Amino acid sequence: MKLNKISAALAAIVAASAVIAAPAQAAPQVEVLHYWTSGGEAKAVGELKKMMEAKGVTWKDFAVAGGAGENAATALKARVISGNPPTAAMIKGPAIQEWGQEGVLANIDAAAVDGKWATLLPPVVSNVMKYQGHYVAVPVNVHRVNWLWINPEVLAKAGAKAPTTFDEFFVAADKIKKAGLIAVAHGGQPWQDTTVFETVVLGVGGAQFYKKALVQLDQASLTSPTMIKSFETLAKIKTYIDKDSAGRDWNLATAMVINGKAGMQFMGDWAKGEFTAAGKVPGKDFLCVAAPGTEKSFTFNIDSLTMFKVKNPDEQKAQLTLAAAVMSPEFQETFNLNKGSIPVRSGISRAKFDSCATKSMDDMAASNTAGTLEPSLAHGMAVDSAKAGAIQDVVAKFMNSSMTPQAAVQALAKAAKTK
Ligand code: BGC
């Protein structure tokens, strides 16, 4: 009895001291800002969380919903300005340089050296991850943007076939419409409008035209007959979108294709993450084809986690652990299987990847050789954020008004000069 009492008292003391000691022993933490909140996206980022927790690092989720990260960018600015940045944020492309100029990014060279990133990443990727020669970001994946997602049952019902050119696309779209279904699933948000727009420019003008117009922002190309034709094509696509599209999230548009309400969607392969999360199989339940006229080209969108300067030494260590985890073969496989993208580093087996992913891998390699691998404008890969924003505004205005293609190209050329 007595002994029991003593041991109970001892146990209480031990428990109390554990509570007191807890802060010193608290697991290091990473806070990660991202916008991966749809079904497929959440599954993918959930894998990273599990991986970090297995390494003894606490994951503090800073998820800000909103496709293509517009809301996330605003939330990030507020946190950085208040001197309390997250450990890492989903920031990519030229925006990494813009944050670098603010002097707020962390040097993660130690992780890169340890992990031999120089031997695993092509220079076109590693250069984007560096600011003034030092790694400040870790690449996650490669998304392809110029896809068309199709429900084959809808095609069959309509007596249509998967298009490879815009002429064929409009034939298929007419048949789907006649069958009483929605031909094009779309969400009326500026970034989605711009995703369709850039894909149309690629299909109508080809990769060299795309580069001159949407990467180099060549004024003559922006106002050329080819750009006018691109806007005419976009205007025609508009007529196949249902009237409830305003503000619709991209994953809800994908769901319309998944459940057979709509036939086709122009979207990057994060859409495949939705099909996969719904248990759908490519080639059977859905088709992934290069968007009309873009079979030989590839618009890329590389996600990356950009690292911010943090004060706590434990958090600094955990930041390097996070960077190493993202480049690990385990992460590159599991995350990308769920996300719809493909690994960004070499040395990952293709065995578990489906036919859309292996097509993406093959097409990326082929377009790299052919010189038709281009950065996505709509997804922050091609130009600085001020110009990209101004161009997006023009495209959104075109989609939501009766603006003529002639007026649109003039507005586009002006937007491209935004400083
Ligand atoms: C990002 C993807 C994301 C998609 C929808 C793209 O810009 O690169 O990771 O899934 O937007 O939010």
Side-chain angles (χ1 to χ4, degrees), residues 38-331:
S38 76
E41 292 175 329
K43 270 185 115 174
V45 75
E47 293 296 334
L48 181 56
K49 178 180 180 212
K50 266 194 244 161
M51 221 170 252
M52 292 306 288
E53 287 178 347
K55 292 179 193 297
V57 176
T58 304
W59 176 274
K60 190 169 175 201
D61 205 41
F62 185 2
V64 183
E70 270 159 26
N71 304 338
T74 311
L76 177 64
K77 276 181 199 143
R79 284 285 301 270
V80 176
I81 288 168
S82 70
N84 179 28
T87 323
M90 221 298 255
I91 299 288
K92 51 190 168 125
I96 297 174
Q97 302 305 309
E98 295 169 20
W99 281 105
Q101 283 153 19
E102 301 295 324
V104 291
L105 299 186
N107 180 328
I108 56 163
D109 281 345
V113 172
D114 246 26
K116 302 192 173 60
W117 293 5
T119 63
L120 301 172
L121 295 174
V124 279
V125 176
S126 57
N127 289 341
V128 178
M129 304 300 140
K130 291 178 193 168
Y131 178 66
Q132 294 184 337
H134 299 288
Y135 278 97
V136 292
V138 58
V140 169
N141 60 3
V142 180
H143 273 302
R144 184 187 200 178
V145 179
N146 59 312
W147 288 112
L148 186 68
W149 304 93
I150 301 177
N151 183 319
E153 241 181 68
V154 171
L155 284 190
K157 264 189 211 156
K161 68 177 187 46
T164 60
T165 62
F166 271 113
D167 287 344
E168 290 177 10
F169 172 83
F170 290 119
V171 171
D174 275 333
K175 289 187 173 167
I176 296 170
K177 209 171 167 179
K178 273 207 194 95
L181 295 162
I182 297 163
V184 178
H186 181 70
Q189 295 175 344
W191 76 268
Q192 292 188 59
D193 297 340
T194 311
T195 299
V196 181
F197 166 71
E198 72 170 35
T199 301
V200 169
V201 171
L202 185 69
V204 169
Q208 297 322 313
F209 177 75
Y210 177 100
K211 189 204 297 291
K212 273 197 109 176
L214 299 188
V215 184
Q216 297 167 349
L217 303 179
D218 168 58
Q219 288 282 313
S221 304
L222 290 170
T223 52
S224 64
T226 307
M227 191 55 83
I228 290 182
K229 187 156 178 230
S230 300
F231 276 106
E232 283 166 358
T233 307
L234 191 60
K236 200 162 168 198
I237 292 173
K238 257 204 291 191
T239 65
Y240 295 94
I241 297 170
D242 66 305
K243 60 173 182 13
D244 299 327
S245 71
R248 177 188 287 142
D249 285 329
W250 67 271
N251 53 317
L252 300 182
T254 306
M256 291 163 66
V257 179
I258 294 177
N259 63 30
K261 257 183 103 174
M264 310 185 273
Q265 181 187 19
F266 291 94
M267 190 48 66
D269 43 23
W270 44 94
K272 200 196 71 189
E274 299 305 294
F275 286 99
T276 307
K280 303 294 179 190
V281 177
K284 180 175 156 265
D285 305 314
F286 70 98
L287 309 177
C288 52
V289 300
T294 72
E295 177 63 31
K296 297 262 178 290
S297 309
F298 190 113
T299 34
F300 66 85
N301 170 23
I302 298 174
D303 288 333
S304 51
L305 291 181
T306 300
M307 305 295 175
F308 284 78
K309 277 185 189 157
V310 288
K311 293 190 195 94
N312 179 331
D314 283 343
E315 192 179 350
Q316 288 167 1
K317 260 174 80 188
Q319 188 170 54
L320 294 177
T321 307
L322 173 66
V326 167
M327 277 289 284
S328 70
E330 300 76 39
F331 170 85

Side-chain angles (χ1 to χ4, degrees), residues 402-419:
S402 53
M403 190 181 209
T404 64
Q406 285 73 13
V409 301
Q410 294 307 326
L412 189 68
K414 194 164 160 228
K417 289 184 182 158
T418 306
K419 289 235 175 15

